[in-house]
Amino acid sequence: MAEEDNDPIAEAIKALRAQAQAIPAGDAGPPGVRLAIDNEPELLRIVEALLFAASEPLDLDTLRARLPDDTDVRGLINALQAKYADAGVNLVEVGGRWRFQTAEDLGWLLRTEREEPRKLSQAALETLAIIAYHQPVTRAEIEEIRGVAVSRGTLDQLLEMKWIRLRGRRRTPGRPVTYGVTDVFMDYFGLANLSDLPGVSDLKAAGLLSSRLPPDFSIPSAGHVLPDADEDLFSEDEAAQFHMDFLEGDEPED
């Protein structure tokens, strides 16, 4: 019996237990010693299961309500954090609550890209259709076809969506800017070429075009629209600069 009392391992355990008992109960003190002496693996499993099954992060009080009285919840949390530190999921604190989430360095595996639909106004739909079917077209020509003014906001929205682009300037008085659709527009609507666009009658029936179309309005031939003989095309830098200048103005929506 005397040999047992002098066993250094037994003495170390007794010293650790005495130290743990001297630490305040709950989460007020350092968790390390209390965890080593008081907490059982089963408690870790319970907390682990609760956090995995939860649909939202859990706070310490919620976890404590499911555990025996005087359980060192903070110590269990720290133990689980250490356990999952190098795993594919980590235990992290979010706004004072805890949850498991994918390790930060593996986030790219679960990242997905999705397109958020952006509803176009009737004015934008009509303007887009006119540009698609009658490019290269100027703003004045769009207004003549629609019968109403085209606001900067309408054209700006289509430019920002990259469905239309600035093509160049007409060699006519005032040097008006011309517009055309982009490859992004073609790809979004699954068009191999412009001849795949719906007929004018279909667009009229859908209410996307005014019935007041000029006699010379026609659908472009297949393939990309070729440069107009009376049009000076923009370079990419010129188009970008004009777009910036264009955005400086402010007009009411139509």
Side-chain angles (χ1 to χ4, degrees):
M1 194 67 174
E3 290 181 5
E4 248 182 54
D5 291 340
N6 294 328
D7 184 350
I9 296 179
E11 290 295 326
I13 292 176
K14 285 174 63 177
L16 288 172
R17 189 177 300 278
Q19 183 179 353
Q21 291 173 348
I23 296 173
D27 302 323
V33 176
R34 293 182 58 79
L35 183 63
I37 302 302
D38 298 334
N39 294 332
E40 298 178 0
E42 189 64 20
L43 295 178
L44 281 174
R45 295 181 65 237
I46 292 173
V47 174
E48 187 177 35
L50 289 171
L51 290 169
F52 265 120
S55 59
E56 58 185 18
L58 301 180
D59 58 28
L60 295 180
D61 289 338
T62 301
L63 293 171
R64 191 176 290 112
R66 301 294 186 93
L67 297 168
D69 293 341
D70 299 327
T71 297
D72 185 2
V73 180
R74 175 68 70 176
L76 295 173
I77 290 292
N78 289 344
L80 286 176
Q81 276 192 298
K83 176 181 177 181
Y84 286 94
D86 298 321
V89 293
N90 301 144
L91 181 59
V92 299
E93 183 178 10
V94 180
R97 299 186 296 173
W98 298 86
R99 73 178 182 194
F100 283 107
Q101 69 180 33
T102 304
E104 186 174 351
D105 61 320
L106 298 179
W108 61 273
L109 290 170
L110 304 179
R111 187 175 296 116
T112 59
E113 295 183 3
R114 65 180 183 181
E115 295 183 0
E116 292 291 339
R118 187 174 179 182
K119 186 178 177 72
L120 290 179
S121 65
Q122 183 70 15
L125 285 171
E126 291 179 359
T127 301
L128 179 62
I130 291 169
I131 292 173
Y133 281 91
H134 207 51
Q135 61 183 313
V137 60
T138 66
R139 180 173 175 176
E141 291 167 340
I142 296 171
E143 292 175 342
E144 181 181 355
I145 293 171
R146 289 192 62 222
V148 295
V150 177
S151 74
R152 292 188 189 275
T154 297
L155 290 172
D156 175 47
Q157 182 181 11
L158 297 174
L159 287 166
E160 289 294 331
M161 295 176 73
K162 298 183 178 179
W163 281 3
I164 67 171
R165 64 187 177 90
L166 302 168
R167 287 174 50 92
R169 290 187 181 276
R170 281 276 172 80
R171 296 173 186 170
T172 56
R175 305 280 289 161
V177 172
T178 60
Y179 297 92
V181 296
T182 65
D183 290 338
V184 174
F185 167 87
M186 303 288 287
D187 181 65
Y188 184 88
F189 289 99
L191 303 173
N193 50 61
L194 292 174
S195 65
D196 294 332
L197 286 166
V200 176
S201 59
D202 295 330
L203 291 175
K204 285 182 181 179
L208 299 180
L209 281 180
S210 169
S211 59
R212 297 167 55 188
L213 294 175
D216 60 345
F217 186 87
S218 61
I219 296 176
S221 58
H224 292 285
V225 176
L226 297 176
D228 192 303
D230 294 327
E231 180 188 27
D232 290 327
L233 298 180
F234 278 139
S235 67
E236 290 187 9
D237 291 341
E238 289 172 332
Q241 183 59 50
F242 183 88
H243 190 189
M244 291 178 61
D245 296 339
F246 178 84
L247 293 178
E248 290 179 359
D250 186 19
E251 294 182 4
E253 290 285 348
D254 52 347

